[in-house]
């Protein structure tokens, strides 16, 4: 798989534990101090042991000054996209343009339905995710005239006013998807692909297959595949310079989100692993290698 040549960046994947909320926030602050680019949080609104992810993101935004903030990923069964669009634009304004929207079709359907979520088949959830992207983009497009009218099956919009306008135009949208339908949606409409290594059926080889589907869809939509961020959730076991550099230069990943709710681990990776990964990748990229056309 060719290297897309994008800058290598890092983030943390933090459990939004309500048992010690100040420690949860401290992990995000530690990530910023250690030089990470992103702090991300699980989004499981049906889980009473967790803080509400959007509330947590807002608090973290106020406690930090540089790091970018995202869910990993928002459960769209319980996050109406029109409301999410307003919330994202608001936090983007308050943080000076540091918000990312990472979206998923919605897992743990039974738990979500217990919270009042609609019952959807997997195919319907995929269609609803595509609709959600359109809703968010339209509401953020304050340069367009008139209100937003979308005759959607799952997320209809009947004349909603546009705005507020976020700092970022547009706010990046990443998708946590695995199946071909979702991957094609990334290629057509999204700004990044965010899978978890542990959920890929064939490990890194699944990344190669996924990139191929995304790239084909992107080119068909008139988009440059190199403009799509390729992220990956990885665990502490993979947080080694050689492993991460291989995932970057052999499997097209440019952004690594590390799981592990341990401040010492976050700090150590920032001080030791991240600089070595970037040096290895720069060294390998200096050699002749295939690139995406």
């Amino acid at each position: 798989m060719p290297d897309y040549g994008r800058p290598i960046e890092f983030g943390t994947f933090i459990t939004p534990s309500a048992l010690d909320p100040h420690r949860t926030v401290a992990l995000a602050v530690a990530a910023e101090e250690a030089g990470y680019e992103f702090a991300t949080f699980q989004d499981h609104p049906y889980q009473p042991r967790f803080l509400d992810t959007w509330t947590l993101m807002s608090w973290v935004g106020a406690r930090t000054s540089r790091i970018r903030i995202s869910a990993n990923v928002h459960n769209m069964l319980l996050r109406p996209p029109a409301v999410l669009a307003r919330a994202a634009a608001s936090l983007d304004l308050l943080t000076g343009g540091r918000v990312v929207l990472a979206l998923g079709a919605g897992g743990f359907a039974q738990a979500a339905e217990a919270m009042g979520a609609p019952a959807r088949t997997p195919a319907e959830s995929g269609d609803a995710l595509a609709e959600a992207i359109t809703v968010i983009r339209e509401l953020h497009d304050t340069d367009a005239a008139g209100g937003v009218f979308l005759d959607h099956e799952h997320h209809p919009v009947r004349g909603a006013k546009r705005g507020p306008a976020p700092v970022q135009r547009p706010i990046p949208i990443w998708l946590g998807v695995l199946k071909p339908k979702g991957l094609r949606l990334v290629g057509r409409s999204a700004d990044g692909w965010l899978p978890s290594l542990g959920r890929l059926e064939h490990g890194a080889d699944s990344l190669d297959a996924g990139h191929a589907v995304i790239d084909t869809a992107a080119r068909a939509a008139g988009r440059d595949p190199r403009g799509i961020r390729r992220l990956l959730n990885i665990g502490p076991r993979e947080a080694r310079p050689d492993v991460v550099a291989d995932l970057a230069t052999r499997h097209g990943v440019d952004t690594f989100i590390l799981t592990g709710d341990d401040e010492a681990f976050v700090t150590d990776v920032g001080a030791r692993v991240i600089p070595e990964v970037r040096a290895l990748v720069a060294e390998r990229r200096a050699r002749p290698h295939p690139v995406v056309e």
Side-chain angles (χ1 to χ4, degrees):
M1 184 67 203
D3 179 0
Y4 292 88
R6 293 175 60 99
I8 303 301
E9 296 190 312
F10 290 84
T12 53
F13 190 2
I14 299 169
T15 304
S17 175
L19 301 177
D20 190 350
H22 297 293
R23 179 176 178 274
T24 299
V25 175
L27 286 166
V29 173
E32 177 169 84
E33 292 173 347
Y36 292 70
E37 284 76 27
F38 300 97
T40 75
F41 307 90
Q42 299 179 45
D43 184 32
H44 299 286
Y46 36 78
Q47 176 51 265
R49 293 185 294 107
F50 287 176
L51 298 165
D52 171 70
T53 297
W54 196 262
T55 305
L56 173 60
M57 288 169 58
S58 299
W59 189 264
V60 168
R63 289 289 310 277
T64 56
S65 60
R66 177 192 57 80
I67 204 162
R68 303 184 72 185
I69 304 159
S70 174
N72 192 344
V73 294
H74 281 304
N75 187 313
M76 295 308 290
L77 287 172
L78 288 165
R79 300 286 182 186
V83 178
L84 188 62
R86 302 265 199 248
S90 299
L91 188 56
D92 201 55
L93 289 165
L94 290 166
T95 60
R98 293 192 284 129
V99 170
V100 176
L101 279 171
L103 313 179
F108 303 97
Q110 187 173 1
E113 289 167 22
M115 291 278 289
R120 292 184 183 136
T121 67
E124 289 171 337
S125 292
D127 293 340
L129 182 60
E131 292 178 4
I133 295 174
T134 303
V135 171
I136 292 166
R137 294 288 195 222
E138 285 292 326
L139 288 173
H140 287 171
D141 185 6
T142 55
D143 294 330
V148 176
F149 293 85
L150 296 169
D151 186 22
H152 285 168
E153 179 180 356
H154 304 287
H155 299 302
V157 182
R158 304 180 180 91
K161 295 183 178 179
R162 301 172 186 273
V167 174
Q168 302 174 89
R169 304 291 292 273
I171 289 177
I173 292 178
W174 305 337
L175 299 186
V177 293
L178 295 175
K179 295 182 179 179
K181 180 178 179 179
L183 296 171
R184 289 192 291 270
L185 179 61
V186 174
R188 292 196 311 272
S189 303
D191 304 294
W193 178 35
L194 176 56
S196 295
L197 184 59
R199 295 191 63 196
L200 295 173
E201 184 178 1
H202 301 292
D205 290 341
S206 294
L207 288 172
D208 301 347
H211 293 319
V213 175
I214 291 169
D215 294 354
T216 297
R219 293 188 185 100
R223 305 179 70 201
D224 184 346
R226 292 171 296 184
I228 299 172
R229 186 183 290 269
R230 317 296 170 126
L231 306 101
L232 187 65
N233 292 321
I234 61 174
R237 188 170 61 180
E238 291 82 38
R240 293 168 27 201
D242 57 334
V243 172
V244 175
D246 281 351
L247 287 166
T249 58
R250 297 181 181 179
H251 298 285
V253 180
D254 56 68
T255 304
F256 298 89
I257 310 296
L258 280 72
T259 62
D261 298 322
D262 183 305
E263 190 169 332
F265 169 72
V266 169
T267 301
D268 178 64
V269 169
R272 183 179 56 84
V273 177
I274 291 177
E276 189 168 345
V277 168
R278 288 179 171 151
L280 279 172
V281 171
E283 178 186 342
R284 293 181 186 185
R285 285 177 173 174
R287 307 170 189 163
H289 64 285
V291 297
V292 174
E293 297 296 340

